[in-house]
Amino acid sequence: MEEPPDVRLSVAAVAHRLGVAPATLRTWDRRYGLGPSGHTAGAHRRYSTSDLVRLETMRRLIMGGVPPGEAARVASGPPSVSPGPAAPLPGFDGRLAGGGPVGQVLAMAGADAAVRGLGRAAMALDTESVSDMLREQVARHGVLHTWDHVLCPVLVAVGARWAATGEGVEVEHSLSECATVVLRAVGDGVLSPADRRPVLLACAPDEQHALPLHALGAALAERRIATRMLGAAMPAAALEAAVRRTGPAALFVWSSLPGTADERVLAGLPITRPATAVLIGGPGWAVERLPARVSVATDLTHAVALVEQALGA
C-alpha cells in the first residue's frame, strides 16, 4: 500500500526500513545534509517520502562500493517518487544523440570517453565489452585510477538512474560481476614470499557486497602483494579461526551498512605475535565504537597504504 505524499516517518521507522542504525542517519544528516526536510529546532525529526527516497539512494550506492561523499552528492539531487515516468536526470536532455528514448543511457554530464563508453556497454548488458574496457583501463592506468575515475562514476550513474526510475538493478549486477572477474584476474600468479605473513580480506558477517575487496586485492597485486580472499559474509567464528590459523600481517574487513557491522567481531579477534594489523573500510562501521587496535581506511588508496605499512613495505 502506497503512503500518502505528506507522510512523515520517525528516525526509528526510517532506520528500520533501510536496515541501518539511527546513528547512521544522524551521521548522514550531519556530514552530507541528508536529514529531514523542513525540520525545525525543538520539533521531532520526521522524514518525508522524498527524504526516504534520497536515503534509499544513498544506501544503495554505498552498498555498491561508491564512496559515501559521492553517493551523497547523487542522493542530494532531486528525487523522483512519482509512479509515472521519471523526469530527465540533471545534465541529460532526455534523448540519445541519435534521437533514442529516455532510459537507454546514463546521466554522466562531463564524463570522459572511457566512462561514457563503459556506461553504454553496461546499459546494453554487453558483458564482453564491459570486461574488455575494464581490462584495458587497468592495463593502461592501473587499478586505483580505474576504480576511482572509471568504474565508480558508472556505478554512481546506475544508482542515480535507479533512484529516478526504479530500473537498472540488472545493470548494476552485471557491471559488478564483470568488474569482479577483471579485478580478480589481476591477482592471478601473484604469490607471497615464503617468509611473508599473509594478508586476509573479508566482509563483515552478513555483508554480501565484496566488490571493494576485489578492488583492494587487485590494487595490492599490482604492488606484488598477494592476498587471501575470504569473501562475503564471514561469520565471526570463521574470521577468528582464520586469524588464529594464519597469523596474518594484516586483516581487512569491509562493511557497507551498519546492519552488517559489529564492532564486537573486531574486539574478539585473537591477539597474534607478531601483531596483526586490523584494518576496516566502508561506511557501515561506527568509528567511535571501534577497538583501539583497529585502523580505518578512508578510501582504496588509503587501504593500500595501510596494508603496505603493515607489511613494512
Side-chain angles (χ1 to χ4, degrees):
M1 178 177 179
E2 292 188 359
E3 295 165 338
D6 60 346
V7 69
R8 292 279 171 169
L9 302 176
S10 67
V11 173
V14 173
H16 177 74
R17 178 171 297 195
L18 296 180
V20 304
T24 298
L25 295 180
R26 290 190 286 271
T27 297
W28 289 353
D29 184 9
R30 184 176 66 255
R31 292 183 182 176
Y32 310 116
L34 293 176
S37 57
H39 175 68
T40 57
H44 291 293
R45 302 171 65 82
R46 297 282 175 173
Y47 291 83
S48 69
T49 302
S50 295
D51 297 331
L52 181 60
V53 170
R54 292 188 178 94
L55 293 171
E56 287 175 338
T57 302
M58 179 75 168
R59 173 185 176 276
R60 183 176 184 82
L61 290 173
I62 288 174
M63 288 179 66
V66 176
E70 183 65 15
R73 184 188 67 78
V74 174
S76 297
S80 172
V81 296
S82 168
L89 292 171
F92 175 51
D93 65 7
R95 300 193 67 80
L96 290 167
V102 172
Q104 302 304 312
V105 297
L106 295 172
M108 296 185 291
D112 63 22
V115 176
R116 292 196 305 272
L118 182 63
R120 285 193 295 269
M123 286 296 295
L125 298 181
D126 184 351
T127 55
E128 182 176 357
S129 293
V130 166
S131 299
D132 287 344
M133 291 176 187
L134 290 174
R135 277 191 289 265
E136 179 184 3
Q137 287 297 313
V138 169
R140 294 179 61 184
H141 303 293
V143 170
L144 293 179
H145 176 92
T146 301
W147 176 261
D148 289 334
H149 301 292
V150 181
L151 181 56
C152 278
V154 177
L155 288 170
V156 167
V158 171
R161 182 179 183 275
W162 172 85
T165 67
E167 301 174 352
V169 172
E170 73 285 359
V171 177
E172 179 188 356
H173 285 198
S174 174
L175 176 58
S176 295
E177 286 298 317
C178 290
T180 296
V181 172
V182 170
L183 292 169
R184 290 183 65 175
V186 175
D188 288 349
V190 178
L191 301 176
S192 293
D195 60 346
R196 174 177 285 177
R197 298 160 65 206
V199 175
L200 304 183
L201 308 180
C203 285
D206 301 322
E207 175 61 62
Q208 299 292 337
H209 295 81
L211 180 58
L213 288 186
H214 293 293
L216 176 56
L220 291 170
E222 287 185 327
R223 290 152 180 80
R224 312 306 299 173
I225 298 173
T227 58
R228 301 184 187 181
M229 178 67 68
L230 302 181
M234 278 296 294
L239 199 57
E240 292 173 18
V243 171
R244 188 176 296 109
R245 187 176 306 156
T246 64
L251 166 69
F252 182 90
V253 186
W254 170 263
S255 172
S256 62
L257 291 172
T260 70
D262 186 347
E263 293 74 23
R264 293 172 297 180
V265 173
L266 304 177
L269 292 172
I271 302 298
T272 61
R273 293 290 184 270
T276 294
V278 180
L279 316 174
I280 63 166
W285 300 103
V287 177
E288 64 276 6
R289 297 201 300 267
L290 293 174
R293 65 186 288 205
V294 176
S295 298
V296 182
T298 55
D299 56 24
L300 183 59
T301 300
H302 189 207
V304 170
L306 289 175
V307 173
E308 289 182 320
Q309 180 180 344
L311 291 171

